[in-house]
Amino acid sequence: MLSVRDLTVRFRLRGGRSVAAVSDASFDLAPRECLALVGESGCGKSVLASALLGLLPANAEARGTARLAGAAGTASPDAPARPALDLLAADERTLARTVRGRLVGLVPQSPAAHLTPVRTVRSQLEETVRALTDTPRRERRAAAEAAAERAAFPAGHLDRYPHELSGGLAQRAATALALIGDAPLLLADEPTTGLDRELVDRTADELRRHTDTGKAVLLITHDLAAARRVADRVAVMYAGRIVETTPAARFFDGPGPRHPYARGLLDALPEREFTPIPGLPPELSNLPEGCAFAPRCPRVSAACAVRPEPRSQVACHHPHGEPGDPDRA
């Protein structure tokens, strides 16, 4: 469905300087698959999603490739497949008219910024139904209400304006809007923010149903419980780089992740060791020469002065599970 190679996003700063928020990110996403992209705040997860949809600010530039496989037209499953499209090379007209909402849906991290403040939730849902589907006019109201139900948005709040919604309700409204186009690829950027655990589980289950119909989901989240419920694979991001990609079963229930940072994320959970990772993530404008995690890593050695290249889907000089490792499972 999606093949990303060497995606790098740099922001130009005053004085001619620039800083890389995402560096050389590569991953694949297949139909019927959910890939969870996890990591601490500020590691570059949301910047990556914005790059895929052409939503970066004017002072940003992206390079690499992000090829979206050809997909049948949204109006009919029998429509001919489109050719593969490089999202990073597409112009704004193509992104606005062909990609956003139709081929790639977005659940935004900040839903309030994506909801029109002067229109009710119902009217925005119905307008999205009209724009993205061939639903007859007399059926649009029902289609909008069905989308709201899928996102667990209460019917009694459909005629409210965005400023009358709590953060959790705004998040569910944004999720409902993203689901309407039934896009082959869904980018869900922190879709469970502000939700209680019951609604988190319901949102995760809806994302799972989305993949079960043959579509793909890129779930960007810091909520590992939600990721465990829905993900097929987990990609761990640190300081702008993907440091490990592994099956979710291994990450959560099997031998565990191999990168020390990924292992630290799990150990910080309350139901596990509840041990926080020491220190703070580095400033992206002041990264160390070698491994960015080295100052916080219990396995650091002189070898870590050189940046590790990914080997077997993990970028670490001393990953867990190597021969001779006392923690090897």
Side-chain angles (χ1 to χ4, degrees):
M1 185 72 74
L2 178 67
S3 181
V4 175
R5 291 291 179 271
D6 302 319
L7 171 57
T8 295
V9 179
R10 301 191 68 90
F11 288 90
R12 297 184 298 277
L13 307 178
R14 292 180 180 178
R17 297 184 301 116
S18 66
V19 60
V22 177
S23 297
D24 300 318
S26 296
F27 61 89
D28 294 313
L29 184 56
R32 296 184 177 274
E33 182 181 39
C34 174
L35 174 66
L37 184 61
V38 304
E40 292 167 294
S41 297
C43 69
K45 305 187 301 295
S46 295
V47 173
L48 186 152
S50 296
L52 295 178
L53 282 173
L55 297 176
L56 292 169
N59 69 325
E61 55 184 19
R63 63 173 176 81
T65 60
R67 298 192 180 279
L68 183 66
T74 56
S76 168
D78 299 324
R82 297 182 174 92
L85 173 68
D86 185 354
L87 298 175
L88 300 185
D91 57 31
E92 174 58 26
R93 180 184 178 91
T94 300
L95 292 170
R97 296 195 174 190
T98 304
V99 175
R100 298 185 193 125
R102 292 174 172 83
L103 296 180
V104 184
L106 173 67
V107 180
Q109 184 179 28
S110 302
H114 289 255
L115 298 173
T116 305
V118 296
R119 299 184 65 182
T120 65
V121 174
R122 184 191 301 277
S123 67
Q124 293 183 62
L125 289 171
E126 291 185 5
E127 173 59 22
T128 304
V129 170
R130 183 200 66 78
L132 298 182
T133 73
D134 60 351
T135 303
R137 183 173 183 177
R138 64 183 179 278
E139 298 176 12
R140 290 173 191 166
R141 183 183 182 94
E145 291 175 351
E149 184 177 2
R150 288 177 65 190
F153 187 88
H157 291 66
L158 281 170
D159 294 312
R160 294 190 177 185
Y161 292 88
H163 73 272
E164 298 178 299
L165 305 178
S166 65
L169 282 174
Q171 185 67 59
R172 282 180 272 168
T175 300
L177 288 168
L179 293 172
I180 285 174
D182 212 21
L185 172 62
L186 186 64
L187 303 184
D189 191 358
E190 302 288 1
T192 59
T193 298
L195 305 183
D196 61 32
R197 182 48 54 186
E198 180 181 353
L199 288 173
V200 167
D201 291 346
R202 183 165 175 176
T203 299
D205 291 345
E206 183 56 47
L207 295 177
R208 185 70 256 173
R209 281 191 288 272
H210 195 72
T211 63
D212 289 344
T213 61
K215 301 173 180 64
V217 171
L218 177 60
L219 171 63
I220 297 171
T221 185
H222 64 272
D223 187 340
L224 293 182
R228 179 176 186 172
R229 193 174 182 94
V230 66
D232 298 289
R233 289 186 299 132
V234 177
V236 182
M237 201 165 191
Y238 185 78
R241 293 182 180 275
I242 295 177
V243 297
E244 181 172 4
T245 304
T246 189
R250 176 190 175 97
F251 189 93
F252 291 109
D253 303 313
R258 299 181 64 205
H259 195 283
Y261 172 66
R263 188 70 63 101
L265 288 178
L266 276 183
D267 288 345
L269 293 176
E271 63 269 25
R272 299 206 179 218
E273 297 181 18
F274 205 28
T275 304
I277 301 173
L280 296 172
E283 294 289 338
L284 293 177
S285 59
N286 188 32
L287 294 176
E289 290 293 328
C291 175
F293 187 60
R296 308 172 71 189
C297 183
R299 296 184 159 219
V300 65
S301 74
C304 302
V306 177
R307 179 179 296 159
E309 295 298 325
R311 293 181 299 113
S312 301
Q313 299 297 308
V314 59
C316 181
H317 291 294
H318 309 294
H320 292 269
E322 293 285 272
D325 182 356
D327 294 334
R328 187 179 185 187

